Amino acid sequence: MDNEDVLRRSQAACDALSADDDGLKREVLTHAGNRWSLGVVHTLGVAGKLRHAEIGRRMHGVTQRMLTRTLRQLERDGLVVRHDHHEVPPRVEYELSEIGMGLLVQMIPLWTWVIENAEGFRNARQSYDLQVNALTEE
Amino acid sequence: MDNEDVLRRSQAACDALSADDDGLKREVLTHAGNRWSLGVVHTLGVAGKLRHAEIGRRMHGVTQRMLTRTLRQLERDGLVVRHDHHEVPPRVEYELSEIGMGLLVQMIPLWTWVIENAEGFRNARQSYDLQVNALTEE
DNA sequence: CAGTATCCTTGCGGATACTG
DNA sequence: CAGTATCCGCAAGGATACTG
């Protein structure tokens, strides 16, 4: 993919995102950036079908509230399927949908790239913050 | 890339993101999900070097405040370079950095996929909302 | 177990007015 | 022109306690 190709394809993609009348696509993209979404998608992708508590155990730091909220959002976006077995005590399992698996696949190159460029982000931020401090201390 | 390969690579990527002590990588990902970030990155990618007002003109609906804020954030993340010519009246130009161009490239497959699956999202949301309405109206 | 309910803080997004 | 300053509403994220 050469430089022109990049621009042509990004043009097409951004046109489509701009013409996004109801904001649905941007919303999905935003949700993907939320605190726990990527972790849940990944966890379910790796492990298959999991119960609520089991997901919580595998993800460090998530509270019950945020896990429930994230799962509801992912379910609403069609990325996760909720299986309620209607038992007492309750047993509810979650798994990635087809489309959710698709997202997982699409996210991987981006994640990999972000990880590879982490040092660059850190350096950029440091020099930026230094500059700002120097200015405000004048 | 077969199914196992997907899982192996997502495992590696998510391990790296989980070990993200300072949250820097997640932060960059979150910023990419913000309202105007993608548009600015795209606009600069297509047009090259642009002035503040020129970016505003090319992006429908953005306010001065949000544009400035978005540019500051992108600059802090190292995705955008700010050229202040120190003239009166002020002339400031922005352009994508190398690393910013890299993000643009990485985002394209994801955007394309989101656009292609927009119908899926819409359907998922509709049936979800219908179910919720049916439950709360009981 | 799988959630709600409540309360809180933070930051996004936006409108409007002002300035070097 | 390229921003600040000030206001607002809203949703994300989190802590804690309670429930069928």
Side-chain angles (χ1 to χ4, degrees):
Chain A
M1 196 159 68
D2 62 13
N3 217 330
E4 239 181 72
D5 203 27
V6 168
L7 294 184
R8 194 177 46 71
R9 293 176 61 177
S10 70
Q11 182 75 58
C14 203
D15 284 351
L17 286 178
S18 304
D20 186 13
D21 35 1
D22 53 3
L24 182 67
K25 309 185 197 79
R26 261 215 70 271
E27 211 172 303
V28 173
L29 241 31
T30 304
H31 292 168
N34 282 354
R35 181 78 185 85
W36 302 107
S37 302
L38 294 182
V40 169
V41 168
H42 163 263
T43 304
L44 289 178
V46 171
K49 211 177 284 184
L50 285 180
R51 302 181 62 168
H52 182 110
E54 186 59 29
I55 304 174
R57 236 167 277 132
R58 296 188 187 215
M59 299 184 46
H60 191 63
V62 67
T63 61
Q64 270 191 347
R65 189 176 111 83
M66 287 318 295
L67 183 53
T68 301
R69 214 208 257 229
T70 304
L71 284 167
R72 287 278 181 284
Q73 200 171 64
L74 292 173
E75 189 193 354
R76 184 154 186 257
D77 288 346
L79 303 173
V80 156
V81 185
R82 183 172 182 274
H83 303 281
D84 190 340
H85 295 269
H86 301 285
E87 298 175 357
V88 179
R91 189 159 68 91
V92 181
E93 288 178 315
Y94 295 90
E95 65 174 336
L96 269 194
S97 68
E98 270 297 313
I99 194 170
M101 199 64 189
L103 178 66
L104 182 59
V105 173
Q106 296 303 321
M107 289 301 292
I108 292 174
L110 183 59
W111 291 359
T112 309
W113 178 85
V114 169
I115 290 158
E116 282 168 358
N117 288 275
E119 205 53 39
F121 297 139
R122 198 178 317 277
N123 293 340
R125 170 153 310 188
Q126 275 178 11
S127 58
Y128 180 90
D129 288 350
L130 277 177
Q131 272 186 29
V132 171
N133 283 336
L135 286 175
T136 51
E137 276 168 14
E138 266 175 14
Chain B
M1 193 158 72
D2 61 13
N3 218 330
E4 240 181 71
D5 202 26
V6 168
L7 294 184
R8 193 176 45 72
R9 293 176 60 175
S10 71
Q11 180 76 59
C14 202
D15 284 351
L17 286 178
S18 304
D20 186 13
D21 34 3
D22 54 3
L24 182 67
K25 308 186 196 78
R26 261 215 68 271
E27 214 171 300
V28 173
L29 243 29
T30 304
H31 291 169
N34 283 355
R35 182 79 185 83
W36 302 105
S37 304
L38 294 181
V40 170
V41 168
H42 163 262
T43 304
L44 290 178
V46 171
K49 211 177 283 184
L50 285 180
R51 303 180 62 169
H52 181 110
E54 187 59 29
I55 304 174
R57 236 167 278 133
R58 297 189 185 213
M59 299 183 47
H60 192 65
V62 68
T63 61
Q64 271 191 346
R65 188 176 111 83
M66 287 317 294
L67 182 53
T68 301
R69 215 208 258 232
T70 305
L71 285 167
R72 288 276 181 284
Q73 200 171 63
L74 292 173
E75 190 194 354
R76 186 155 186 255
D77 287 347
L79 303 173
V80 156
V81 185
R82 184 173 182 273
H83 303 280
D84 190 341
H85 294 269
H86 300 287
E87 295 175 2
V88 179
R91 190 159 69 90
V92 181
E93 290 178 315
Y94 295 90
E95 64 175 337
L96 269 194
S97 66
E98 270 298 309
I99 194 170
M101 198 64 192
L103 178 65
L104 182 60
V105 173
Q106 297 303 321
M107 288 302 290
I108 292 173
L110 183 59
W111 290 359
T112 309
W113 178 85
V114 169
I115 291 159
E116 282 168 358
N117 288 275
E119 205 53 39
F121 297 139
R122 197 178 317 277
N123 293 340
R125 171 154 312 187
Q126 274 179 12
S127 58
Y128 180 90
D129 289 349
L130 277 177
Q131 272 186 29
V132 171
N133 283 335
L135 285 177
T136 50
E137 276 168 16
E138 265 175 14

